[in-house]
Amino acid sequence: MTNDADDKQRQLEQYRVDMEGSRLTTDQGVRVDDTDNSLSVGERGPTLLEDFHLREKITRFDHERIPERVVHARGSGAYGFFQVYESLAEYTCADFLCDPSLRTPTFVRFSTVAGSRGSADTVRDVRGFATKFYTRQGNYDLVGNNMPVFPIQDGIKFLDFVHAVKPEPHNEIPQAQSAHDTLYDFVQMQPETMHFLMWLNSDRAIPRSFRMMQGFGVHTFRFVNAEGRGTFVKFHWKPTLGTHSLVWDEVLRIQGNDPDFNRRDLWEAIERGAYPEWELGVQLVPESDEHNFDFDLLDATKIIPEEVVPVRPIGKMTLNRNPENFFAETEQVAFCTANVVPGIDFTNDPLLQARNFSYLDTQLIRLGGPNFPQIPINRPVAPVHNDQRDGYHQHMIHQSRTSYTKNSISGGCPMSGIVSGDMSGVFKHYTERVDGNKIRKRSPSFEDHYGQATLFWNSLADWEKEHLVAALKFELGHVERRYIKEKVVEHLVHVDHGLASQVAEGLGLTAPPTGTPNHGRSSPALSQANAPRDSIATRKIAFLIDDGSDAGEVGSVRDALQSRGAICELVAPHEGTAGSLTVDRQLSASSSVLYDAVLLAAGEGLTGDGYALTFVREAFKHGKAIAVLENGRPLLDAAGLPGRQGVVEPGDGFVDRFTAAVAAHRHYDRDVAGFPA
Ligand code: HDD
């Protein structure tokens, strides 16, 4: 083992099967001459049971599916590596966090939570962000989400929450949607959901790209250093491209245009060599400060505001390789919060404790038995030796004559992990002292369900607040039972009265006159308005062209934008060529919702084309930068846009101005409420 980013790929190499030049065989390796016709008695006679090839094919097909994940069923994965900036030995003895020369291989799976495997990517939902670090001390799994808070505080409520958000049990409707009665019934009965509800209805729930979303470990975990000293830690992934979202109307249209929108985006970026990157950051809290907050560190419905405890960047992850087989790698990867390495330990967060049980348990049914850690994607690069053997699909042939520890027959092997009294590299549970009676009772320190929901609301930019109110109106607008809407509004009053009133108005309700007064505190780090907006790297720009386009001008603008990292596609009414330009996409088979920005470079021809007009209007409605070359003006005028914010006219510094408009991500200052794109 060389301990670098390629360790995992080297290990996987022995499992890869190349079909090139191969001949068709059965599963037993017997060559097959005909796989198109069953073995039968005569050409029109009955099929014979002895046709082992037919039976094998049908049997294998019948058993192709494994149970989809009960949550996070739809996901996409990629390989990469992680490298720490400087040693964190002061806080943790985790080897991969102490040696800056190490490049630890990783596999990440991004996912939605509620939908089935075949559901659309761009639904309103939490995104999973699960990372497996193949460290030389064993696998470490950081199984996080793109939101830092969870809807419930105790794992015993997980089944209830998931049943509430999943399709309703009588008719299995709606698919991958939170906008229905059972979720909001759960919410109104369980106000600990309120902080999470704010995140779920914010733009965080509709990320532009997996590459442009944050990740959070959610729980407070514990670092433990070589001396056994513990430090509380929260994990944050921050994308170098900034945190950006789609807009709701766009989301609805993407679902039809490209249900694989986020999956495709990740795949294509990696294929192009535009490797996504995240910085890993930690919030560190000395154990002596455990009780110095106005919330409980063990409560997964709370954040530690970054302004209170700053996020310290500790390293970077780069994803640089797509899987080769979706089922073998992305579907069979098995994460578990209990997969920790020396130097990282748990806290008594009751949600985390339940998770530590659930993940292993679910893999046993999903992957068919206890040997799933031997599936190539799950294999540690660290050596594995123990007496846990047998069970379905054992791949190893253990040679020792004993399968118990301690033994004298096999030289005592495998021996204790401690070599000559040296504890380094050995997992040692943190020796926390715990005292108490056995009770089923939530700590009073978990009681404030509104304070941080208010903090989140106060931290948002005006446009983010507008989106959140609109989202709640949409969601509750799909709830059939009026009393559920009323109850949710009654809870919102304790978050912010203005918020509650706006939502209530949309529902034809009146918010109760009094609630908990807004405490006025905010955390600017929570607003996406404060995300970096300085790059157009990997942004997709559609050039609307036709036969009258100026090929020279189009070519030079395209070259300039591509040199800054953008991806430009020429969209025209027909495939083939438009003048001397090669068309990438046909207009009627495309849509502005698949792009970040539009450049109008078509001649007069498109002013009467409904697809082109919709393209421009939707781009404007969705806040996207629109640039216009001289001969594109007629189309811009024909589109009848209600403003010019974020519209870049020809003239000096055209490319620079367009670049800045695209880098801004969206132009939410447009008044588009009355514009029916
Ligand atoms: Fe979970 C999958 C994230 C609470 C039980 N969870 C799963 C995945 C992610 C998360 C990203 C997908 C992993 C993959 O890509 O394969 N889950 C979270 C976060 C939570 C959380 C961030 C709270 C902080 N989960 C949670 C609780 C329980 C579970 C409280 C049960 C008590 N989660 C599961 C599971 C899943 C799962 C049933 C389904 C498939 C799987 O594990 O492998 O065990």
Side-chain angles (χ1 to χ4, degrees):
M1 194 169 52
T2 53
N3 307 315
D4 66 31
D6 295 331
D7 277 351
K8 186 64 191 175
Q9 293 307 321
R10 266 192 289 276
Q11 185 194 55
L12 289 175
E13 205 48 58
Q14 58 191 303
Y15 301 104
R16 294 197 172 112
V17 181
D18 185 358
M19 291 287 191
E20 201 176 319
S22 65
R23 300 279 173 189
L24 187 70
T25 73
T26 65
D27 281 346
Q28 304 305 319
V30 175
R31 278 222 228 150
V32 171
D33 67 332
D34 180 350
T35 194
D36 301 329
N37 300 292
S38 309
L39 186 69
S40 58
V41 184
E43 284 166 9
R44 301 181 61 255
T47 302
L48 292 173
L49 194 59
E50 76 176 61
D51 186 350
F52 54 83
H53 181 47
L54 165 73
R55 287 200 330 267
E56 188 182 83
K57 271 181 96 173
I58 291 179
T59 306
R60 290 301 301 261
F61 175 73
D62 291 345
H63 294 258
E64 266 178 9
R65 292 287 171 269
I66 61 173
E68 68 173 30
R69 289 169 176 80
V70 59
V71 282
H72 297 266
R74 180 168 179 83
S76 308
Y79 293 96
F81 63 91
F82 172 80
Q83 196 162 13
V84 73
Y85 295 145
E86 56 184 4
S87 174
L88 291 176
E90 184 186 347
Y91 304 104
T92 173
C93 57
D95 174 62
F96 78 109
L97 295 176
C98 291
D99 184 347
S101 71
L102 281 185
R103 289 179 147 204
T104 301
T106 57
F107 185 80
V108 176
R109 184 172 177 275
F110 301 107
S111 48
T112 51
V113 179
S116 297
R117 259 191 69 184
S119 56
D121 277 347
T122 55
V123 292
R124 178 172 297 285
D125 199 353
V126 179
R127 298 299 182 284
F129 189 142
T131 308
K132 194 178 279 296
F133 298 81
Y134 302 95
T135 89
R136 57 183 182 179
Q137 293 178 316
N139 285 354
Y140 169 55
D141 293 353
L142 180 54
V143 195
N145 281 338
N146 76 328
M147 297 179 192
V149 289
F150 209 64
I152 48 167
Q153 298 172 318
D154 188 322
I156 200 166
K157 294 301 296 171
F158 191 63
L159 171 149
D160 302 296
F161 170 73
V162 174
H163 284 183
V165 71
K166 283 270 186 181
E168 299 194 5
H170 61 302
N171 59 6
E172 215 191 28
I173 296 175
Q175 176 57 236
Q177 306 291 316
S178 44
H180 59 112
D181 284 51
T182 53
L183 175 70
Y184 282 89
D185 188 31
F186 184 86
V187 163
Q188 64 93 4
M189 301 290 293
Q190 202 81 23
E192 72 202 59
T193 50
M194 288 315 285
H195 188 192
F196 169 81
L197 191 72
M198 302 292 286
W199 285 82
L200 182 67
N201 282 287
S202 78
D203 289 355
R204 300 284 184 141
I206 44 174
R208 155 68 180 85
S209 160
F210 293 139
R211 303 175 294 120
M212 298 174 198
M213 61 183 204
Q214 282 177 269
F216 301 90
V218 181
H219 310 281
T220 304
F221 294 90
R222 200 187 309 261
F223 272 162
V224 184
N225 70 8
E227 288 76 49
R229 179 170 58 85
T231 305
F232 292 118
V233 56
K234 289 235 184 209
F235 293 105
H236 296 243
W237 290 112
K238 288 198 182 178
T240 52
L241 292 172
T243 312
H244 305 293
S245 293
L246 300 165
V247 298
W248 181 243
D249 182 67
E250 180 186 20
V251 157
L252 298 176
R253 287 159 212 250
I254 293 176
Q255 285 172 23
N257 271 290
D258 186 4
D260 305 301
F261 185 76
N262 291 138
R263 173 178 289 187
R264 192 186 305 283
D265 168 272
L266 178 68
W267 179 274
E268 289 183 349
I270 293 174
E271 289 299 299
R272 272 197 188 97
Y275 300 141
E277 290 177 337
W278 286 260
E279 206 162 46
L280 182 63
V282 289
Q283 287 177 299
L284 298 171
V285 177
E287 297 212 327
S288 52
D289 287 352
E290 178 172 3
H291 301 293
N292 291 351
F293 299 91
D294 60 359
F295 56 88
D296 199 319
L297 286 179
L298 304 184
D299 176 356
T301 68
K302 302 296 187 300
I303 59 161
I304 309 177
E306 291 187 33
E307 292 75 13
V308 176
V309 178
V311 176
R312 169 176 165 181
I314 61 163
K316 187 182 277 185
M317 177 168 68
T318 307
L319 296 184
N320 61 0
R321 186 182 178 117
N322 279 316
E324 285 171 287
N325 183 288
F326 186 90
F327 178 82
E329 295 160 284
T330 307
E331 192 60 12
Q332 292 199 107
V333 68
F335 294 93
C336 179
T337 48
N339 291 349
V340 286
V341 289
I344 303 180
D345 212 323
F346 316 116
T347 57
N348 296 327
D349 174 341
L351 199 72
L352 177 58
Q353 296 287 328
R355 292 180 77 191
N356 286 344
F357 168 75
S358 180
Y359 289 76
L360 170 58
D361 186 45
T362 206
Q363 312 307 354
L364 292 174
I365 173 90
R366 196 171 72 80
L367 297 168
N371 287 314
F372 68 85
Q374 295 182 17
I375 296 172
I377 187 68
N378 296 322
R379 263 173 204 258
V381 293
V384 175
H385 302 290
N386 59 43
D387 294 310
Q388 291 133 221
R389 300 181 177 183
D390 302 1
Y392 288 111
H393 317 305
Q394 170 58 263
H395 280 53
M396 314 306 289
I397 303 173
H398 294 96
Q399 293 181 328
S400 117
R401 300 275 298 265
T402 57
S403 53
Y404 57 91
T405 310
K406 308 167 185 170
N407 67 68
S408 65
I409 296 176
S410 306
C413 295
M415 293 177 282
S416 154
I418 308 169
V419 183
S420 319
D422 180 4
M423 285 297 293
S424 57
V426 177
F427 192 90
K428 194 163 180 326
H429 289 274
Y430 181 69
T431 50
E432 184 182 11
R433 183 179 164 77
V434 185
D435 245 336
N437 300 322
K438 289 188 200 168
I439 45 170
R440 287 190 190 274
K441 194 169 182 301
R442 204 79 56 96
S443 165
S445 54
F446 279 45
E447 260 166 24
D448 172 18
H449 303 319
Y450 303 108
Q452 288 209 349
T454 308
L455 182 86
F456 183 74
W457 170 254
N458 291 347
S459 308
L460 299 181
D462 286 347
W463 54 267
E464 290 176 300
K465 287 183 174 168
E466 281 166 25
H467 292 179
L468 197 153
V469 169
L472 277 167
K473 284 187 195 166
F474 180 96
E475 295 273 300
L476 290 165
H478 284 74
V479 170
E480 289 168 14
R481 293 167 180 80
R482 198 164 174 77
Y483 76 90
I484 294 180
K485 302 179 207 243
E486 284 168 356
K487 293 278 182 199
V488 174
V489 169
E490 282 169 26
H491 286 299
L492 289 175
V493 165
H494 299 296
V495 178
D496 180 81
H497 199 270
L499 160 68
S501 303
Q502 291 178 67
V503 175
E505 189 192 355
L507 303 172
L509 300 171
T510 310
T514 51
T516 313
N518 186 318
H519 53 59
R521 290 192 296 278
S522 65
S523 166
L526 297 176
S527 170
Q528 292 191 92
N530 298 325
R533 279 155 206 274
D534 50 8
S535 161
I536 61 168
T538 75
R539 294 306 190 137
K540 286 186 86 174
I541 304 176
F543 282 39
L544 283 191
I545 61 163
D546 67 359
D547 295 327
S549 295
D550 179 335
E553 197 178 16
V554 167
S556 75
V557 175
R558 179 173 55 177
D559 290 349
L561 294 171
Q562 285 181 342
S563 72
R564 295 171 188 201
I567 300 153
C568 301
E569 288 186 357
L570 304 188
V571 181
H574 54 75
E575 291 183 25
T577 53
S580 61
L581 296 166
T582 303
V583 176
D584 295 308
R585 280 277 210 149
Q586 185 209 130
L587 190 52
S588 65
S590 184
S591 168
S592 79
V593 297
L594 304 176
Y595 296 93
D596 292 293
V598 186
L599 180 125
L600 310 185
E604 296 262 349
L606 289 192
T607 54
D609 185 317
Y611 287 110
L613 292 169
T614 303
F615 208 100
V616 181
R617 287 176 183 158
E618 283 186 352
F620 189 82
K621 175 114 179 159
H622 301 148
K624 294 172 182 174
I626 298 175
V628 56
L629 295 181
E630 209 50 69
N631 65 348
R633 281 189 191 279
L635 178 57
L636 182 71
D637 294 339
L641 305 181
R644 284 288 185 272
Q645 300 90 337
V647 176
V648 179
E649 306 269 352
D652 284 349
F654 176 76
V655 171
D656 286 344
R657 286 184 288 121
F658 189 32
T659 300
V662 178
H665 180 60
R666 294 298 163 92
H667 298 270
Y668 296 117
D669 52 343
R670 293 174 183 161
D671 183 9
V672 287
F675 186 56

